[in-house]
Amino acid sequence: MAIFKPPKAIRGGIPICFPQFSNHGPLEQHGFARNRFWSIDSDPPPFPTNSSNKAFIDLILKPSEEDMKIWPHSFEFRLRVTLGPGGDLMLTSRIRNTNLDGKPFTFTFAYHTYFSVSDISEVRVEGLETLDYLDNLQNKERFTEQGDAITFESEVDKIYLSTPTKIAILDHEKKRTFVIRKDGLPDAVVWNPWDKKAKAMADFGDDEYKHMLCVEAAAVEKPITLKPGEEWRGRQELSAVPSSYCSGQLDPQRVLQGS
Ligand SMILES: O=P(O)(O)OC[C@H]1O[C@H](O)[C@H](O)[C@@H](O)[C@@H]1O
């Protein structure tokens, strides 16, 4: 049901929310970066990532004059997309303040990752239990998660705070676990629109909420400020591992704590 027509972002995949996450600020929802065409960065400044044995592409986004009217700052946003031999996907963002007027800028950020799941009612998220979160469905009020792993039986839109660097999504029915590893991104947004909101979205099938879950590595609660010349980095790595959680062969704690 996604609509592949610019300038709106395509629903699905990993939209990049920058310079604003959601409606946490005056800009359009999720900022403008997800609605822009990026260029290939043919000669990026080197940075230490382990890209040997992996395929990668470097992309760059710089603000247009129109963007500068919305957000009056000059920046270079470099994105390296790396694919490992086992299918692991790594995204590394480097955002640099290139303002010539000496002004710092402040932003929030998220990798708005859509995961495909067999049945949302059978999915568990491990790594967020007992954490504090801001509930977008309750005026961004702060609560503390109780109990075990997160499961789903209604609409959810929460920003978990100070999360571990590793989060797992266990798909019982598909016997598959997605592992998210992140760096520089302390928060994790968990979103499923459920039936009513799904129906209200033009680019979202009425029943598609049953087969998706967004878990988004993010920096929202504490916005990031960069002075001219400063650079921020935020990394997310995704991998899928076979799991048979239901038969007890794979202990979710081992997924979280193992390498
Ligand atoms: O519909 P979009 O602009 O893509 O946003 C989709 C969702 O993104 C995030 O997960 C937010 O927390 C939600 O409040 C929002 O509904």
Side-chain angles (χ1 to χ4, degrees):
M1 286 294 281
I3 298 167
F4 290 79
K5 203 169 162 215
K8 231 188 148 264
I10 301 160
R11 188 169 300 285
I14 312 180
I16 288 184
C17 307
F18 171 84
Q20 176 185 295
F21 172 73
S22 190
N23 57 359
H24 294 241
L27 304 181
E28 67 194 273
Q29 163 96 344
H30 292 321
F32 53 81
R34 68 170 175 166
N35 301 329
R36 297 292 178 268
F37 285 102
W38 296 55
S39 307
I40 289 179
D41 190 8
S42 49
D43 191 19
F47 69 109
T49 59
N50 179 14
S51 297
S52 61
N53 183 27
K54 296 176 182 131
F56 65 88
I57 186 162
D58 286 294
L59 301 172
I60 185 162
L61 180 71
K62 293 184 193 175
S64 66
E65 276 179 27
E66 289 304 303
D67 296 338
M68 301 266 292
K69 284 181 197 155
I70 307 169
W71 199 61
H73 297 293
S74 176
F75 65 85
E76 286 173 358
F77 185 153
R78 292 193 156 79
L79 175 68
R80 176 168 289 187
V81 183
T82 306
L83 196 57
D88 297 359
L89 179 69
M90 199 205 284
L91 300 176
T92 309
S93 288
R94 295 186 285 169
I95 298 172
R96 178 177 288 278
N97 182 334
T98 52
N99 271 340
L100 295 174
D101 58 8
K103 291 206 175 112
F105 62 62
T106 297
F107 63 90
T108 49
F109 181 95
Y111 291 115
H112 197 310
T113 310
Y114 286 74
F115 291 94
S116 163
V117 298
S118 50
D119 177 357
I120 186 67
S121 307
E122 300 290 330
V123 163
R124 301 160 65 88
V125 177
E126 301 267 352
L128 304 176
E129 50 282 357
T130 75
L131 296 182
D132 279 7
Y133 63 89
L134 307 179
D135 196 338
N136 281 325
L137 302 178
Q138 298 195 60
N139 298 317
K140 306 188 174 85
E141 231 184 285
R142 193 176 179 124
F143 298 94
T144 303
E145 195 64 65
Q146 310 286 345
D148 284 348
I150 317 295
T151 54
F152 303 90
E153 49 193 26
S154 59
E155 182 183 3
V156 50
D157 189 354
K158 297 177 177 176
I159 304 168
Y160 290 90
L161 308 173
S162 305
T163 60
T165 55
K166 207 166 171 183
I167 298 168
I169 303 168
L170 290 94
D171 190 336
H172 179 89
E173 213 170 293
K174 267 198 185 139
K175 294 191 168 52
R176 177 171 69 185
T177 296
F178 292 114
V179 179
I180 305 168
R181 289 186 186 81
K182 59 192 181 59
D183 195 31
L185 297 160
D187 305 323
V189 184
V190 176
W191 179 62
N192 184 296
W194 222 254
D195 54 350
K196 264 204 218 108
K197 281 222 176 122
K199 279 208 178 82
M201 282 189 279
D203 57 352
F204 200 105
D206 290 359
D207 284 331
E208 283 178 343
Y209 76 93
K210 292 177 183 163
H211 307 295
M212 60 74 70
L213 178 66
C214 285
V215 179
E216 312 163 30
V220 179
E221 192 203 17
K222 296 186 182 113
I224 290 139
T225 297
L226 293 177
K227 291 187 195 122
E230 283 183 340
E231 186 179 88
W232 170 85
R233 281 184 201 172
R235 203 174 60 87
Q236 167 178 279
E237 200 178 324
L238 302 179
S239 49
V241 293
S243 66
S244 45
Y245 177 67
C246 50
S247 66
Q249 284 172 24
L250 190 73
D251 177 352
Q253 281 312 317
R254 273 172 47 203
V255 172
L256 287 171
Q257 283 153 17
S259 62

